[in-house]
Amino acid sequence: MYTQCPECLTVYKLEAELLVPACGCLRCGHCETVFNALGTLAGQLPPEPFTRLEEHALDREPPLADVAVFRPRPEPEPVPEPWTDTPADAAEAVTNEPVATEDAVEEDFSQLTFTPRFARAKRRSWRTAAWIATCTVLVLGLGAQLAWAKRDVLIADATVGPMLASGCAMVGCHLPLVAAPSQLRLLARDVEQHPSVTDGLLITASVRNDATFAQPYPVVTIALSDAEGHRLAMRRFQPEDYVGDAGTRSRGMAAGATSAMVFEVQDPGQRAVAFAFSFD
């Protein structure tokens, strides 16, 4: 994610955890201005050149959160203790009960139904099995939801990631790509005059994915500077700018794989003596 200082217009790249301690407020590392980072928060930077990031209104109604992944169960209500008669009340109830005649007793017994003990046990066993099966399905569903919500962390884990990749390979599925630009290593780079464009430069780079998982091709930023370190030109290359095959882009950079990248830039003149790469 990206945000911009409203005073000096410096754009910063940040993680979500940085916004938590001060409810979205940050201190600019350049001009010391304290500002609300949520006002210009953006997932991607707009195409260059740009001056300001899009500002968001912060006085609207809160949006509705409707994709729940967990909700605690309510505590069970206490069951009241059964009411019991005192010995005096029991004696009074026995005294006040009318004496049943022989005919009445026979009629009452004729209305009773008898359920065998094995039938009652079978019914209880069936209900218990159904309850256990329902709970198992609910637990598995909750685990699947949590695993999907934390899929990037699981795939990037050095122990769990290879197990998931092996399981997916067995059933013929593909794990989603997880971006980790910090684990991309620039092995070699070179710049030369473009063979067919008069004022163009051809920059080549060899990049290796040191992660234990496949990740998407990064957004590459190339900056050209003079001998004093002043930036003369800069350009950001999207994956489709330097990887023409859509199938190759969808598969990403495999774990431990090395990729050769070629970039075409306009020659800023004889003052440009150095260039630098960065990955997003």
Side-chain angles (χ1 to χ4, degrees):
M1 294 186 295
Y2 302 88
T3 189
Q4 186 177 37
C5 173
E7 295 296 329
C8 64
L9 303 183
T10 301
V11 176
Y12 292 97
K13 182 178 180 181
L14 69 158
E15 300 294 336
E17 291 79 0
L18 194 62
L19 302 176
V20 174
C23 298
C25 290
L26 298 177
R27 183 184 300 277
C28 178
H30 181 263
C31 65
E32 297 293 327
T33 299
V34 176
F35 64 97
N36 191 339
L38 301 179
T40 55
L41 195 64
Q44 296 289 340
L45 292 177
E48 296 185 0
F50 68 91
T51 302
R52 289 182 177 271
L53 296 179
E54 180 183 358
E55 296 187 4
H56 313 294
L58 302 179
D59 56 353
R60 299 177 180 174
E61 289 293 328
L64 175 64
D66 58 353
V67 182
V69 297
F70 176 73
R71 183 182 295 108
R73 294 184 177 180
E75 293 292 334
E77 297 183 358
V79 180
E81 297 182 359
W83 179 81
T84 57
D85 290 333
T86 62
D89 294 337
E92 182 180 355
V94 171
T95 303
N96 295 333
E97 280 291 331
V99 178
T101 63
E102 185 177 352
D103 295 338
V105 172
E106 291 180 357
E107 182 180 356
D108 290 340
F109 272 103
S110 65
Q111 295 176 359
L112 295 177
T113 58
F114 175 72
T115 303
R117 180 178 298 177
F118 73 87
R120 293 197 300 270
K122 184 177 181 180
R123 184 163 58 247
R124 287 196 298 269
S125 177
W126 181 87
R127 291 178 178 175
T128 301
W131 175 250
I132 293 176
T134 302
C135 291
T136 302
V137 171
L138 292 176
V139 170
L140 291 176
L142 178 60
Q145 290 181 354
L146 292 176
W148 179 254
K150 299 294 184 180
R151 58 188 181 278
D152 289 355
V153 177
L154 295 177
I155 294 174
D157 186 83
T159 302
V160 180
M163 297 173 58
L164 293 176
S166 300
C168 262
M170 294 177 60
V171 299
C173 66
H174 298 282
L175 294 176
L177 300 178
V178 178
S182 60
Q183 299 193 47
L184 295 176
R185 181 184 301 183
L186 184 63
L187 301 179
R189 57 182 183 175
D190 188 29
V191 59
E192 58 184 10
Q193 196 69 32
H194 199 288
S196 58
V197 180
T198 304
D199 57 346
L201 296 177
L202 203 62
I203 298 177
T204 57
S206 180
V207 180
R208 186 174 66 189
N209 179 18
D210 287 341
T212 58
F213 49 88
Q215 60 172 305
Y217 283 91
V219 177
V220 181
T221 301
I222 300 179
L224 301 176
S225 57
D226 58 14
E228 298 179 356
H230 298 149
R231 182 182 299 175
L232 301 177
M234 182 184 71
R235 182 178 173 185
R236 295 167 57 86
F237 292 87
Q238 300 295 328
E240 55 268 20
D241 294 332
Y242 60 90
V243 181
D245 184 63
T248 302
R249 291 198 305 270
S250 64
R251 291 190 296 270
M253 300 180 64
T258 301
S259 176
M261 303 177 183
V262 180
F263 309 94
E264 296 179 339
V265 298
Q266 186 176 3
D267 189 355
Q270 297 298 326
R271 295 176 55 194
V273 295
F275 63 99
F277 280 81
S278 62
F279 307 109
D280 293 327

